[in-house]
């Protein structure tokens, strides 16, 4: 591995040897993170459905879209103060549904409605109840 970046190149030749640049290491870390988060979402999708097509495609789309969604949310995350609460409630619902699946059958459309409803309420609450700007206090 080289110590310096070489523009947008992932690999360079130095003294006849093919060496990776730090940019390749960054790409590797980002892709491993994408795959890890997609694998981590498998239990969540099983909480909604057991249809293999939906499970596979949702994870493929998760791998392809996580990075772009991160950059989309990174810019507005400061304004979405209730999003973490909403995501926590979604995880509680999915976990409860997975635990209670043996005794209670919740249809897929109801599960998706609950998840969508929780996310919409958290987003609307964040937009309608913004944080108050902090005023600087002079001593």
């Amino acid at each position: 591995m080289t110590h310096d970046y070489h523009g947008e190149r992932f690999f360079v030749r130095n003294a006849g040897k093919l060496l990776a640049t730090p940019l390749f290491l960054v790409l590797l870390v980002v892709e491993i993170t994408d795959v890890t988060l997609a694998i981590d979402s498998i239990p969540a999708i099983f909480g909604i459905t057991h249809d293999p097509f939906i499970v596979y495609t949702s994870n493929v789309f998760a791998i392809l879209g996580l990075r772009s969604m991160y950059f989309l949310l990174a810019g507005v995350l400061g304004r979405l103060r209730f999003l973490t609460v909403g995501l926590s409630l979604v995880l509680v619902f999915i976990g409860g549904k997975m635990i209670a699946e043996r005794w209670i059958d919740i249809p897929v459309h109801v599960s998706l409605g609950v998840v969508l409803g929780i996310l919409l309420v958290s987003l609307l609450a964040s937009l309608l109840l913004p944080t108050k700007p902090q005023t600087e206090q002079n001593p």
Side-chain angles (χ1 to χ4, degrees), residues 78-106:
R79 294 180 58 204
L80 303 176
R81 67 180 179 150
F82 294 112
L83 184 61
T84 54
V85 175
L87 291 174
S88 299
L89 290 173
V90 166
L91 291 175
V92 167
F93 171 73
I94 295 298
K97 183 179 185 284
M98 291 174 70
I99 291 170
E101 181 178 20
R102 180 181 229 174
W103 304 283
I104 301 171
D105 181 34
I106 301 175

Side-chain angles (χ1 to χ4, degrees), residues 1-2 17 19 23-24 31 33 36 47 54 60 64 68 75 84 109:
M1 174 155 296
T2 65
K17 293 183 179 180
L19 300 173
L23 187 61
F24 177 73
E31 293 304 325
T33 303
T36 303
I54 294 174
V60 167
L64 294 174
S68 59
T84 54
H109 66 279

